[in-house]
Amino acid sequence: MDMEEKEKISGSEILIRSLIREGADTIFGYPGGAIMPVYDALMNHTDSIDHILVRHEQGATHAAQGYARASGKVGVCMVTGGPGATNTITGIADAMLDSTPIVVIAGQITTDLIGTDAFQEVDFTCVTQPISKWTYQIGSAEEISRVVARAFFVAKSGRPGPVVLSVTKNAQVGMAEYVPEKVEFIRSYDDDPEIDMSAIEEAAEAINNAKRPFVLAGQGIEIGEAQEEFRNFVEKADLPFGCTLLGLSVLPSSHPLNKGMLGMHGNLCNNVKTNECDVLIAVGMRFDDRVTGDVSTYARQAKIIHLDIDASEIGKNVKADIPVLGNCRKTLKLISDRLNPAKHTEWTASFEPYVREEYEKVIDKELHPASGPLNMGEVVNAVSEASGHKAILVTDVGQNQMMASRYFKYEEKRSIITSGGMGTMGFGLPAAIGAAFARPDRTVCMFTGDGGLQMTIQEFGTIMERKVPVKIILLNNNYLGNVRQWQELFFHRRYSFTRLDNPDFQVIASAYGIPSRRVADRAELQDAVREMLETDGPFFLEACVAEEGNVMPMIPPGGSVDNMIMEC
Amino acid sequence: METESLYTIIVHSENFAGILNQVAAVFTRLQVNIESLNVSASSLPNVHKFTICCRTTEKNIDKIIKQIVKKLDVISAACYTDRDIFSSEIAMYKISTHVFDGSDDLNVILRKYNTRVVEVTSDYIVVELAGSSDEITALRDEFQNLGCIRQFVRSGKIAVTASNIEKVSEWLDRREKVRTERSRIL
């Protein structure tokens, strides 16, 4: 052998080394035929990479999402081809809508067989193209290093999102020299748009002249690690703000300018003030229909300033009078530098009557009922208080999600992990597993419903095997509660297929060795929550809640943002 | 209901497999029918150029452009009205010879449209016309009225912009500067 010639190693070995080079230390995965060579190589690197064996590939993607959202790093999952690959689709689409950086590595049959309908062949790049930020089929060992570097750069830069790599068997077993690569630039992809300084000046002037400014805080602030820039921005000019579902933990819930959540089940004051403010400043959010309600009546009176890194979001749903394209960490600072210190005492005080109205009509009743079964909100509140508002909140989807997002409080950034855009039932449990691996230093509390839990309940197995310290709180109302609520309100109480005949969830938890407790009595709630939080490792708490509890207040679908139903 | 207009979109992309699919998917998602599509090499090395015509609303066209640009390997996309571009199309017509037996009608038509005759046999004639979309349609209509048209095919519009500034080249130059700056930092 020529001494000058570099050693050749398998594509699988290159793949693992490339992942390590990109900082991947945790992989959520499930092996299968078309990815076996990579799994074989993985066994040589268990000191560098912790592989968590999930029980279903959908769980791998949601766990990777939870990991990414809690840590700010890229989440990685690895699956085989065919059904293993297609099982990840829900997670990929979810990550796309919620801008979550994950890299999905899927096995693929050998190149020679592609197009022959071979065993477990699916055209995975074609299937995932519309739901991913970038998707690519790797056809040779030589390109693996470069493609993995590109994948991580694409996933985490700009507006983050899911990247899908379909790795053919011949690329996995082919021999090539490993040349470490780093990708920090793609000419066709502007991950950090140049900031238009005239837009910055215009935005600052509009805010300086505003009498009734209101800010919408989105997840872009968390993604851009711009929490401090945002704090300076709102504090300097005394700007009250409401948060989108995914932006709830950008600043502590206790911050005096933080007015809580926006949108369909958000706080009344925010939705009313959206239609009263004179300048509306949206930061890293996308005017989802769950935030705006009827867009034709949304903030028509206001001058709208929209800060976002994604040009396709600006003007998509709501026309921006002053579009500010760019990374909000930079744009917020540039605008703040030009803001005059201000006080909007009268304006911020005008939120109070609506805060009181909501408290009296909704919150007080939800949190402090005199009698009757447990309410969802009071369970959430008890967990939040007992954890000192310092836990990471993970939710499933439905009433549990809305109740958790309404009543959980936050002291730390990156503290809410929920499926916002897709509304994926079954997201919670695996996402909580991912969050627990990302942040072993923090308590992870996962709220779920009896419907959503059963969609990915097999991940109890992952929790059992790895003793994942997830605190699972089931708000059990024996209904698909959110759909039932809509049936009650908009379908004349015709409960079409929303009643669930449920198993004994504690028996299931015990089969997986997860300690559990069931609570139905208000007097026992505090103690049950204390026991859950004091127990090392996982815990399953089933709260038997009012069967027909409703999430209030509510903007009826298609209704105007300032016309919330307070009770029904 | 918003009125629909005919738009010409010019897209520049990297020359990678699968981009046509990604660009087409933007139209499929919004259920907008592509009237014509041409993909070819551009004046820039390794850059492909798409000329796409579609009929849609002003609101939709803005979304379409932004969604296309968002595709990772797309360099630029912009839409133009006929005033902003020089455009042309090419069409071929295969017509039956016997319809014109003993008449001068064919010669009159061919001269009127400035066509090029590609092939003449006793059975059929193949005619080629390069021109505006309207001219191509008008000639097809004339042949159709005479009942002689056997085959017809058109290329779809191709276009170059009327601007003095070559925006794509300038954009790529700016990107190269970013690349240089970043490599300096690294």
Side-chain angles (χ1 to χ4, degrees):
Chain A
M1 189 175 136
D2 184 350
M3 292 305 285
E4 291 293 303
E5 197 179 323
K6 287 259 181 72
E7 180 200 10
K8 286 194 171 180
I9 56 175
S10 73
S12 297
E13 184 66 28
I14 295 174
L15 177 59
I16 300 295
R17 289 193 197 179
S18 304
L19 290 172
I20 293 169
R21 182 176 160 77
E22 290 298 330
D25 52 17
T26 310
I27 294 178
F28 302 91
Y30 204 102
I35 195 76
M36 283 179 70
V38 180
Y39 267 86
D40 189 64
L42 186 58
M43 275 193 92
N44 300 331
H45 296 278
T46 47
D47 53 338
S48 309
I49 293 184
D50 187 9
H51 177 273
I52 291 104
L53 178 65
V54 294
R55 296 301 187 265
H56 186 285
E57 289 89 350
Q58 183 186 349
T61 50
H62 293 328
Q65 287 179 273
Y67 180 90
R69 296 264 285 273
S71 67
K73 290 167 66 179
V74 176
V76 183
C77 62
M78 191 183 286
V79 298
T80 188
T86 54
N87 278 344
T88 64
I89 284 174
T90 303
I92 295 167
D94 194 297
M96 186 69 173
L97 275 173
D98 281 353
S99 314
T100 310
I102 61 169
V103 171
V104 177
I105 294 160
Q108 177 61 291
I109 58 167
T110 194
T111 308
D112 288 348
L113 285 174
I114 286 175
T116 66
D117 296 329
F119 180 63
Q120 293 193 331
E121 181 188 358
V122 67
D123 185 352
F124 199 48
T125 48
C126 216
V127 168
T128 53
Q129 180 266 312
I131 53 165
S132 59
K133 190 169 170 188
W134 183 53
T135 174
Y136 187 78
Q137 182 170 293
I138 300 178
S140 72
E142 284 79 9
E143 57 179 339
I144 289 175
S145 175
R146 179 91 189 147
V147 171
V148 170
R150 196 179 202 253
F152 274 73
F153 174 64
V154 169
K156 71 187 173 201
S157 60
R159 178 179 178 178
V163 171
V164 177
L165 300 180
S166 184
V167 190
T168 59
K169 201 86 174 268
N170 47 293
Q172 296 173 38
V173 298
M175 302 296 280
E177 186 187 313
Y178 172 51
V179 184
E181 296 265 11
K182 197 81 199 159
V183 171
E184 292 283 354
F185 176 87
I186 295 170
R187 74 168 180 176
S188 60
Y189 161 61
D190 194 357
D191 59 301
D192 188 11
E194 194 181 338
I195 295 163
D196 174 3
M197 288 310 291
S198 65
I200 297 285
E201 300 289 350
E202 215 182 324
E205 192 189 339
I207 298 167
N208 282 333
N209 292 331
K211 298 280 181 281
R212 302 184 307 281
F214 185 49
V215 179
L216 313 175
Q219 192 198 193
I221 298 164
E222 300 261 38
I223 294 170
E225 287 293 337
Q227 296 90 349
E228 283 313 302
E229 286 75 7
F230 183 72
R231 181 196 293 275
N232 293 337
F233 171 72
V234 292
E235 286 180 355
K236 188 169 182 188
D238 193 27
L239 308 169
F241 66 94
C243 306
T244 66
L245 174 62
L246 302 189
L248 278 170
S249 63
V250 296
L251 286 185
S253 312
S254 56
H255 192 287
L257 291 167
N258 189 343
K259 302 299 176 192
M261 189 162 72
L262 300 164
M264 181 174 270
H265 291 297
N267 293 110
L268 174 67
C269 62
N270 290 330
N271 290 330
V272 170
K273 293 296 157 182
T274 297
N275 275 11
E276 287 181 8
C277 64
D278 60 354
V279 177
L280 187 70
I281 308 120
V283 187
M285 58 84 73
R286 60 188 177 87
F287 294 104
D288 181 83
D289 55 278
R290 284 293 191 269
V291 163
T292 63
D294 178 6
V295 78
S296 70
T297 62
Y298 182 82
R300 305 299 280 186
Q301 80 294 341
K303 182 174 268 190
I304 294 175
I305 305 172
H306 191 176
L307 281 68
D308 208 289
I309 199 164
D310 180 353
S312 75
E313 287 301 344
I314 293 176
K316 185 183 78 176
N317 296 332
V318 171
K319 189 179 174 300
D321 298 296
I322 308 175
V324 184
L325 184 66
N327 182 332
C328 69
R329 190 169 184 175
K330 297 179 184 171
T331 53
L332 279 171
K333 182 171 187 316
L334 288 166
I335 295 172
S336 298
D337 289 346
R338 289 159 177 78
L339 290 184
N340 303 327
K343 279 284 168 206
H344 300 285
T345 315
E346 206 175 310
W347 165 242
T348 43
S350 75
F351 284 64
E352 286 312 311
Y354 297 99
V355 173
R356 275 202 302 279
E357 182 186 345
E358 186 181 346
Y359 186 81
E360 282 160 16
K361 288 186 177 164
V362 180
I363 299 172
D364 190 34
K365 289 177 189 168
E366 185 67 30
L367 300 188
H368 311 110
S371 59
L374 286 171
N375 285 338
M376 290 180 267
E378 68 179 315
V379 179
V380 172
N381 187 53
V383 175
S384 186
E385 284 188 348
S387 61
H389 312 305
K390 288 192 173 148
I392 294 178
L393 169 70
V394 183
T395 82
D396 206 78
V397 163
Q399 287 186 318
N400 66 84
Q401 175 185 37
M402 289 297 104
M403 284 297 190
S405 53
R406 279 183 56 78
Y407 295 108
F408 211 81
K409 301 284 176 270
Y410 316 89
E411 286 297 322
E412 294 181 31
K413 62 183 183 179
R414 287 193 179 273
S415 289
I416 176 161
I417 297 166
T418 186
S419 170
M422 268 282 277
T424 303
M425 283 175 71
F427 174 87
L429 189 63
I433 293 170
F437 276 100
R439 294 300 303 267
D441 56 322
R442 295 185 66 186
T443 303
V444 176
C445 293
M446 195 280 288
F447 286 86
T448 186
D450 41 310
L453 176 63
Q454 293 183 76
M455 285 195 175
T456 47
I457 199 166
Q458 72 284 345
E459 300 309 334
F460 274 180
T462 312
I463 290 172
M464 174 186 72
E465 184 181 325
R466 297 299 301 265
K467 299 183 175 53
V468 191
V470 176
K471 311 300 178 191
I472 304 153
I473 304 108
L474 168 64
L475 302 175
N476 188 357
N477 55 13
N478 295 310
Y479 271 112
L480 299 175
N482 215 34
V483 182
R484 188 211 55 74
Q485 177 174 339
W486 283 46
Q487 288 171 336
E488 179 186 337
L489 296 176
F490 313 117
F491 292 86
H492 311 290
R493 278 183 173 264
R494 285 160 57 84
Y495 293 168
S496 179
F497 300 99
T498 42
R499 177 82 194 174
L500 287 179
D501 195 1
N502 280 320
D504 184 332
F505 290 106
Q506 272 195 291
V507 173
I508 299 175
S510 74
Y512 285 97
I514 301 172
S516 68
R517 179 163 171 179
R518 180 179 291 137
V519 59
D521 186 349
R522 183 159 291 114
E524 282 183 34
L525 179 60
Q526 304 284 350
D527 189 58
V529 170
R530 183 197 51 75
E531 184 189 349
M532 173 181 78
L533 293 174
E534 285 179 0
T535 303
D536 278 340
F539 194 92
F540 177 76
L541 176 64
E542 178 179 359
C544 305
V545 297
E547 292 206 332
E548 297 191 31
N550 284 333
V551 187
M552 286 289 149
M554 179 180 194
I555 303 169
S560 178
V561 72
D562 55 355
N563 196 11
M564 292 190 93
I565 308 172
M566 299 304 286
E567 45 208 335
C568 58
Chain B
M1 200 176 140
E2 275 188 88
T3 51
E4 294 193 337
S5 312
L6 188 65
Y7 292 96
T8 303
I9 302 168
I10 297 178
V11 179
H12 287 86
S13 82
E14 300 291 357
N15 183 15
F16 297 153
I19 297 179
L20 174 59
N21 214 359
Q22 294 181 41
V23 171
V26 173
F27 293 86
T28 314
R29 186 179 178 192
L30 290 165
Q31 292 290 294
V32 172
N33 200 11
I34 293 174
E35 303 268 333
S36 74
L37 165 70
N38 179 282
V39 187
S40 71
S42 74
S43 60
L44 302 158
N46 302 316
V47 172
H48 258 50
K49 177 169 174 170
F50 300 58
T51 313
I52 306 166
C53 290
C54 70
R55 195 173 287 283
T56 188
T57 61
E58 198 180 339
K59 197 173 158 193
N60 257 352
I61 197 73
D62 187 50
K63 262 188 214 153
I64 288 170
I65 297 295
K66 284 178 170 172
Q67 292 294 330
I68 293 174
V69 175
K70 196 172 167 175
K71 300 291 175 193
L72 203 83
D73 296 312
V74 167
I75 294 165
S76 71
C79 101
Y80 299 90
T81 61
D82 283 348
R83 273 193 311 253
D84 308 320
I85 50 173
F86 299 105
S87 68
S88 185
E89 244 192 287
I90 189 162
M92 292 174 84
Y93 310 75
K94 184 177 174 185
I95 52 179
S96 297
T97 311
H98 68 88
V99 177
F100 300 98
D101 283 350
S103 119
D104 196 34
D105 289 355
L106 180 63
N107 276 333
V108 172
I109 294 171
L110 296 184
R111 264 190 235 112
K112 180 171 144 194
Y113 285 93
N114 200 18
T115 59
R116 189 172 80 85
V117 174
V118 178
E119 176 70 308
V120 180
T121 73
S122 57
D123 189 36
Y124 64 81
I125 304 168
V126 177
V127 175
E128 181 189 285
L129 171 61
S132 73
S133 300
D134 289 346
E135 285 170 317
I136 283 166
T137 306
L139 178 58
R140 184 200 61 191
D141 291 348
E142 289 216 29
F143 285 144
Q144 237 156 14
N145 290 340
L146 290 165
C148 67
I149 198 153
R150 289 166 62 160
Q151 284 185 42
F152 168 66
V153 65
R154 62 200 299 172
S155 65
K157 195 189 266 187
I158 53 171
V160 291
T161 61
S163 164
N164 290 331
I165 304 161
E166 303 308 329
K167 282 188 183 166
V168 182
S169 308
E170 288 193 359
W171 194 83
L172 285 172
D173 288 346
R174 280 204 304 279
R175 295 295 294 155
E176 281 310 312
K177 278 188 194 131
V178 173
R179 185 205 296 268
T180 315
E181 279 164 22
R182 284 199 192 176
S183 57
R184 207 177 293 140
I185 294 163
L186 293 168

